C-alpha cells in the first residue's frame, strides 16, 4: 500500500523495521499513526515473520477498539 491517501506529518519514533509518523487521512481528516517500513531492513525470514506477527496483532487490537 502507498501513503497517497495521507498527509504524512512529523516524525514520532524509529523502530526496528522503519519509522512511525503522524499522518492525516485526507478524505476523513482523521489523525493516524503510520508505520513506514523499509523493505531493505527485513534481512531474514525471522524478521519477516516478526513483522507479520506485529501487523496481525495490531489488526486484532484495532478490531477490538472498533
Amino acid at each position: 500500500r502507498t501513503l497517497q491517501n495521507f498527509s504524512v506529518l512529523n516524525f514520532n519514533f524509529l523502530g526496528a523495521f522503519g519509522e512511525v509518523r503522524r499522518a492525516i487521512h485526507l478524505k476523513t481528516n482523521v489523525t493516524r499513526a503510520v508505520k513506514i517500513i523499509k523493505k531493505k531492513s527485513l534481512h531474514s525470514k525471522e524478521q519477516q515473520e516478526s513483522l507479520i506477527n506485529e501487523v496481525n496483532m495490531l489488526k486484532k487490537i484495532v478490531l477490538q477498539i472498533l
Side-chain angles (χ1 to χ4, degrees), residues 16-17 35 37 39 41-58:
F17 302 113
K35 188 167 192 174
I37 300 165
K39 291 182 181 181
S41 68
L42 302 174
H43 300 290
S44 68
K45 183 76 172 168
E46 289 82 18
Q47 289 175 321
Q48 293 172 9
E49 290 173 358
S50 176
L51 179 61
I52 290 169
N53 288 337
E54 179 180 336
V55 169
N56 290 334
M57 180 182 64
L58 291 171

Side-chain angles (χ1 to χ4, degrees), residues 7-15 18-24 31-36:
S7 174
V8 180
L9 304 173
N10 58 318
F11 172 77
N12 288 9
F13 64 90
L14 185 63
E19 58 188 44
V20 176
R21 292 181 174 259
R22 190 167 65 101
I24 297 177
T31 301
R32 298 280 188 230
V34 177
K35 188 167 192 174
I36 302 170

Side-chain angles (χ1 to χ4, degrees), residues 1-8 23-32 34:
R1 294 185 180 169
T2 64
L3 295 176
Q4 64 190 14
N5 295 322
F6 291 88
S7 174
V8 180
I24 297 177
H25 189 265
L26 297 174
K27 292 180 183 177
T28 64
N29 207 33
V30 175
T31 301
R32 298 280 188 230
V34 177

